[in-house]
């Protein structure tokens, strides 16, 4: 199962986001195709097919990590699974993934996501501070359903491939409630941990940057727990092929992510995202 839209709402550069999503999709699809080909040869299946879901979301959220100013943007979404694979519930902030291994409710596979950049086009008060380039990150995900189709535990660990630096580990615990055959509600807690390279890129201020900016003091950010938060969503299946979703995510930056003057002076530790999405599914048989 490939996850649908990523949660990241920092939309300073829509063009970069679209390029990043395409690259991430290509990465996952290549791995997916190789895995499926091997599985098909082993099982000698006589027919194959895919369910492809495409769509997009409009969401409003911080312009960059730690920002107190938001921006509105469009985020394309992509999902693909085998026709014989049941559709799983997913959260709005799942990144693009594909399950390579599945056993007793445990799923494991590659995952790819997007990281936003930061520049003075987002906020002129950032003048003199290091520009942060957008980036694609990739890694692995592991999830477990202690209660099938109701409670899901998930972790994604992703390393930046270029542009923005560092390693992120995102933890989620979600509860899914089918209200009717068409409506599903979900809610869950979030925690995010970042290493020193990520924190230094996004939250440190060198003495030279401090002098050039004139508003913030020098600050050396260390790795650790970056944020805690919650995510809620309501998904409505309009028909067998059309689906709509509204979602909200709140994160509270902690430790050095909150103490950094980029957050405490120029921004805010309170990070909220709200969005609406629409998707359509297609079946492709071979």
């Amino acid at each position: 199962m490939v996850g649908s839209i990523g949660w990241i709402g920092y939309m300073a550069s829509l063009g970069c986001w679209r390029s990043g999503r395409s690259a991430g999709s290509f990465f996952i699809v290549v791995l997916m195709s190789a895995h499926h080909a091997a599985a098909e040869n082993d099982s000698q299946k006589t027919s194959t097919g895919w369910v492809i879901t495409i769509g997009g979301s409009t969401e409003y959220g911080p312009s960059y990590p730690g920002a107190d100013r938001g921006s509105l943007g469009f985020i394309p979404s992509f999902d693909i699974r085998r026709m014989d694979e049941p559709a799983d519930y997913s959260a709005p902030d799942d990144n693009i993934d594909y399950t390579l291994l599945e056993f007793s409710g445990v799923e494991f596979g590659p995952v790819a996501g997007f990281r936003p950049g930061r520049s003075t086009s987002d906020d002129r008060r950032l003048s003199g501070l290091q520009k942060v380039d957008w980036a694609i990150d990739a890694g692995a995900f592991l999830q477990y359903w202690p209660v099938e189709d109701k409670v899901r535990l998930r972790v994604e660990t992703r390393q930046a491939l270029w542009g923005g630096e560092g390693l992120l580990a995102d933890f989620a615990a979600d509860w899914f409630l089918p209200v009717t055959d068409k409506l599903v509600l979900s809610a869950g807690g979030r925690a995010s941990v970042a290493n020193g390279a990520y924190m230094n890129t996004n939250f440190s201020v060198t003495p030279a940057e401090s002098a050039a900016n004139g508003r913030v003091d020098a600050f050396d950010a260390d790795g650790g727990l970056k944020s805690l938060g919650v995510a809620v969503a309501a998904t409505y299946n309009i028909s067998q092929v059309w689906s709509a979703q509204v979602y909200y995510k709140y994160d509270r930056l902690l430790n050095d992510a909150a103490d950094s003057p980029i957050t405490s002076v120029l921004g805010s530790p309170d990070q909220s995202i709200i969005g609406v999405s629409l998707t359509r599914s297609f079946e492709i048989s071979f």
Side-chain angles (χ1 to χ4, degrees):
M1 184 270 297
V2 178
S4 57
I5 61 172
W7 64 269
I8 303 176
Y10 314 117
M11 299 304 297
S13 173
L14 295 180
C16 290
W17 168 255
R18 295 188 182 103
S19 298
R21 175 63 77 181
S22 299
S25 302
F26 177 77
F27 169 79
I28 294 297
V29 169
V30 168
L31 289 177
M32 175 204 68
S33 300
H35 169 68
H36 177 66
E40 185 178 15
N41 289 336
D42 291 341
S43 61
Q44 299 294 317
K45 291 182 178 179
T46 58
S47 62
T48 62
W50 301 95
V51 177
I52 297 176
T53 302
I54 60 174
S57 301
T58 297
E59 64 177 34
Y60 183 83
S63 299
Y64 58 89
D68 64 351
R69 299 180 180 181
S71 56
L72 185 68
F74 173 78
I75 304 175
S77 65
F78 175 78
D79 181 276
I80 186 168
R81 60 183 172 85
R82 295 187 300 273
M83 198 173 292
D84 60 354
E85 178 184 359
D88 286 339
Y89 292 137
S90 63
D93 52 352
D94 289 354
N95 282 295
I96 298 176
D97 64 47
Y98 183 72
T99 301
L100 289 179
L101 301 175
E102 184 173 1
F103 178 75
S104 298
V106 178
E107 300 174 30
F108 171 81
V111 64
F114 171 82
R115 295 186 189 180
R118 184 189 71 202
S119 70
T120 53
S121 63
D122 302 312
D123 189 337
R124 292 185 178 181
R125 295 175 299 169
L126 296 170
S127 176
L129 300 183
Q130 169 186 304
K131 177 183 177 182
V132 178
D133 294 327
W134 66 275
I136 298 297
D137 58 17
F141 83 95
L142 179 71
Q143 67 182 31
Y144 172 61
W145 294 85
V147 181
E148 186 177 2
D149 291 336
K150 291 184 181 295
V151 178
R152 187 194 70 169
L153 306 177
R154 178 182 173 97
V155 58
E156 295 183 7
T157 302
R158 307 181 313 279
Q159 170 68 44
L161 300 181
W162 66 77
E165 298 179 356
L167 181 73
L168 276 175
D170 294 327
F171 300 84
D174 288 291
W175 173 61
F176 297 90
L177 175 65
V179 179
T180 68
D181 292 340
K182 292 181 176 292
L183 178 64
V184 177
L185 304 180
S186 66
R190 298 292 186 269
S192 183
V193 176
N195 70 354
Y198 176 92
M199 294 296 293
N200 183 64
T201 298
N202 290 278
F203 296 105
S204 286
V205 179
T206 67
E209 289 173 331
S210 173
N213 179 269
R215 294 183 178 89
V216 298
D217 295 329
F219 185 81
D220 185 16
D222 294 324
L225 180 62
K226 178 176 70 73
S227 64
L228 293 175
V230 295
V232 296
T235 305
Y236 185 77
N237 295 317
I238 302 171
S239 68
Q240 291 185 342
V241 295
W242 285 98
S243 178
Q245 182 184 71
V246 293
Y247 57 92
Y248 173 78
K249 187 172 187 295
Y250 169 79
D251 285 311
R252 174 75 179 188
L253 296 180
L254 303 172
N255 301 320
D256 281 2
D259 295 338
S260 166
I262 293 175
T263 303
S264 61
V265 176
L266 303 181
S268 170
D270 298 310
Q271 307 280 282
S272 297
I273 298 170
I274 187 169
V276 179
S277 69
L278 183 66
T279 61
R280 192 187 194 287
S281 297
F282 304 85
E283 291 185 358
I284 299 178
S285 301
F286 300 96

